[in-house]
């Protein structure tokens, strides 16, 4: 299980945000850069124990809602895995 730092500092577009997700999580190159693909990869191709989200307050204003979606999905994933042998957690640093 690995620990990931997802640095969103300075993200300006949804593409940029998803590319940072792809690189940080080491998702495959076919990652579709949309929320369905994020959820699928997070739940099937990802061996992550802990995620530290950095720079969530330092994204372009247009992406504030998008960052909220990321955090909601991480929370849902945390709840889904809470009772499993592989618990998952995250923190928002800034």
């Amino acid at each position: 299980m690995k620990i990931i730092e997802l640095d969103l500092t300075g993200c300006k577009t949804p593409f940029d945000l998803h590319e940072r997700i792809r690189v940080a999580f080491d998702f495959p190159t076919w990652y579709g850069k949309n929320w369905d693909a994020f959820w699928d990869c997070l739940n099937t191709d990802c061996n992550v124990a802990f995620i530290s989200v950095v720079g969530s307050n330092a994204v372009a204003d247009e992406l504030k809602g998008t960052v909220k979606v990321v955090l909601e999905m991480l929370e849902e994933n945390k709840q889904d895995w809470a009772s499993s042998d592989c618990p998952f957690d995250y923190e928002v640093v800034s």
Side-chain angles (χ1 to χ4, degrees), residues 53 56 66-76 90 92:
V53 180
S56 61
T66 303
V67 170
K68 184 178 177 186
V69 171
V70 171
L71 299 178
E72 288 170 351
M73 293 179 84
L74 292 176
E75 181 62 29
E76 186 174 345
Y90 71 98
V92 179

Side-chain angles (χ1 to χ4, degrees), residues 17-71:
L17 185 135
H18 277 285
E19 182 61 15
R20 290 189 191 199
I21 288 171
R22 187 192 68 75
V23 170
F25 284 79
D26 196 28
F27 287 164
T29 55
W30 53 259
Y31 170 63
K33 295 182 175 77
N34 61 63
W35 298 125
D36 288 336
F38 177 63
W39 184 256
D40 290 346
C41 287
L42 188 62
N43 284 287
T44 59
D45 295 335
C46 190
N47 191 20
V48 175
F50 189 81
I51 300 168
S52 181
V53 180
V54 177
S56 61
N57 295 324
V59 298
D61 288 340
E62 299 80 25
L63 289 181
K64 299 288 184 185
T66 303
V67 170
K68 184 178 177 186
V69 171
V70 171
L71 299 178

